[in-house]
Structure formats: C-alpha cells, structure tokens
C-alpha cells in the first residue's frame, strides 16, 4: 500500500475500486447517498477497466499505456474526493462497512460538527454560452469555497419570468461540494432568467440559513 490505503499496483487498484464502487451501489439508501453522486465514479471505473484491458494486451502500444495511466489518475482523484465527501465521516457508514470497502478506520469519537450558522455568497459567471457558473464562498470570506465543517451548498433554483416572492418559488435543487457549480441549459432557455438561493449543509444533513436570491440571464 506504500503508506496509502489505495493500492499502488494497477490490477490491485482496479479490484479495490470495483469492490468499493459495487459496495456503495448496494448501500446507497443506507448510506444516504444519491445515485447521481456515484454515477461519475462508475463511469470513470468503466473507462479505467477498458483502458487497463487494452494496456494488458500483448500488442499494446505507448498510447494504450498512457491512456491507462490517465484513466487511473482520473479515477483515483475522483475516488479520494468521493470517499472524503460521502464515506469517511458518514455516520451511517460503520467500521464494518469501511473494512469491507478497504477503507481506513478513524476515531469514532470525532467531535460532532454543528449545523452551519453562516450563509453562502454566490457570484454568477455567464461568459460561456448556454451555461452559468455559480462560484460560492462563505459570507465575508475573501476565498472561494465552503467553510470548515461544511459538506457543501444546496442551491435552490428555477428559470422564472418574474422574480420569486419566496424561496418556495424555486422548485429545483442542486447540491455542490466544490465551487463552481455549473448550470447547463438548452438553446430554448437562452434569454431566460435563472434565480438561485443557497444555504450550507454539513455531513449530517443539518442546514444553515438561506442566503440571498441571486439571478443571471442564460447566455
């Protein structure tokens, strides 16, 4: 393991990643994880499996080996982020679960994280056609990103012809663990107004107060 819980050898890493991904897929409800959170991992795993098989072929070329290494690095980085965000401190994931997934155990007496008390501030970027990027930061902070102890930001949003009267008028919900969160739209949506309102959420699902409703025109 070379001091890391992620196996170093390509074949061992592939089997470990398959075991972890399959285990999480079978326990999504129990772990309170959405299918959409795991889907990118499953896609990257399939890409790595394909690239690995090609690189293991006796007739492989340098391009095949390079593609395998790039696919492995992409999957490894995504798994580290996923594990930290959804598994390491998830109260529904037991030590037995972690052992079955090949994950390290952490102190079970970890200090509880309180509900968020601050609000996110959002800066919208509409420089890309049919796309709006929502960059968020903690209120009063000069650095983009979420504050310590926060899992991510829930973004309530809608495309509306008139300004919302309340947050309840924002019918859609997105969740972002990293900034920016990118909203993508189709051609008929160009010129419409996107309204967004955020609040922080911790690993236990405790929610903080809502921030300001911001808006941007879909370019």
């Amino acid at each position: 393991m070379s001091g890391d819980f992620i196996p170093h050898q390509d074949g061992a890493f592939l089997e470990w990643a398959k075991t972890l991904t399959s285990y999480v897929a079978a326990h999504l409800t129990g772990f309170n994880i959405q299918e959409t959170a795991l889907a990118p991992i499953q896609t990257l795993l399939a890409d790595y499996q394909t690239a690995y098989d090609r690189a293991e072929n006796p007739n492989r070329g340098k391009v095949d080996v390079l593609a395998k290494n790039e696919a492995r690095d992409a999957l490894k980085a995504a798994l580290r982020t996923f594990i930290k965000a959804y598994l390491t401190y998830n109260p529904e994931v037991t030590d037995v679960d972690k052992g079955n997934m090949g994950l390290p155990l952490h102190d079970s007496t970890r200090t509880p994280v309180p509900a968020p008390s601050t609000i996110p501030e959002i800066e919208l970027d509409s420089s890309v056609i049919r796309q709006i990027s929502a960059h968020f930061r903690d209120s009063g902070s000069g650095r983009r990103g979420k504050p310590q102890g926060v899992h991510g930001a829930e973004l309530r949003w809608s495309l509306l012809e008139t300004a919302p009267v309340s947050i309840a008028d924002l019918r859609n919900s997105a969740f972002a663990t990293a900034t920016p969160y990118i909203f993508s739209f189709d051609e008929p949506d160009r010129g419409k107004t996107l309204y967004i309102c955020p609040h922080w959420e911790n690993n236990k699902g405790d929610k903080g107060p809502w921030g300001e409703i911001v808006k941007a025109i879909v370019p």
Side-chain angles (χ1 to χ4, degrees), residues 2-216:
S2 302
D4 189 0
F5 65 90
I6 297 181
H8 177 70
Q9 296 298 323
D10 289 338
F13 168 70
L14 176 60
E15 292 307 313
W16 171 81
K18 289 165 65 175
T19 297
L20 183 144
T21 304
S22 297
Y23 194 91
V24 172
H27 294 79
L28 286 174
T29 301
F31 291 169
N32 292 324
I33 298 174
Q34 298 294 320
E35 291 183 10
T36 53
L38 184 62
I41 300 295
Q42 293 171 318
T43 298
L44 290 171
L45 176 58
D47 292 343
Y48 179 57
Q49 177 75 72
T50 299
Y52 175 83
D53 291 341
R54 289 174 179 169
E56 288 296 297
N57 190 305
N59 297 319
R60 67 182 180 275
K62 292 183 178 179
V63 173
D64 295 321
V65 175
L66 177 61
K68 180 263 298 180
N69 290 340
E70 290 179 344
R72 183 187 190 282
D73 290 344
L75 175 59
K76 183 177 181 179
L79 279 169
R80 285 194 186 279
T81 300
F82 181 87
I83 290 167
K84 182 178 181 181
Y86 294 100
L87 300 177
T88 301
Y89 297 115
N90 184 338
E92 305 301 328
V93 179
T94 67
D95 286 350
V96 173
D97 291 323
K98 291 176 182 177
N100 290 334
M101 291 184 285
L103 298 179
L105 304 182
H106 292 269
D107 185 359
S108 60
T109 60
R110 180 173 179 262
T111 302
V113 177
S117 59
T118 59
I119 62 174
E121 294 179 347
I122 289 186
E123 175 186 349
L124 300 180
D125 178 2
S126 56
S127 60
V128 178
I129 190 171
R130 292 182 293 275
Q131 180 175 297
I132 294 178
S133 298
H135 299 268
F136 53 81
R137 71 184 74 200
D138 202 23
S139 178
S141 173
R143 182 178 63 84
R144 287 176 176 174
K146 57 192 178 184
Q148 185 176 5
V150 166
H151 176 47
E154 181 188 4
L155 308 173
R156 291 286 294 274
W157 67 275
S158 282
L159 292 173
L160 300 173
E161 295 182 358
T162 58
V165 176
S166 70
I167 297 171
D169 293 330
L170 305 178
R171 302 295 186 180
N172 305 304
S173 177
F175 194 81
T177 59
T179 188
Y181 183 88
I182 298 175
F183 291 87
S184 298
F185 300 96
D186 293 326
E187 187 66 19
D189 295 323
R190 296 184 66 189
K192 295 181 180 180
T193 304
L194 171 67
Y195 292 88
I196 307 172
C197 187
H199 65 182
W200 296 126
E201 184 174 321
N202 66 15
N203 280 331
K204 297 187 297 181
D206 298 326
K207 305 177 188 300
W210 288 104
E212 297 289 336
I213 296 177
V214 296
K215 67 178 182 177

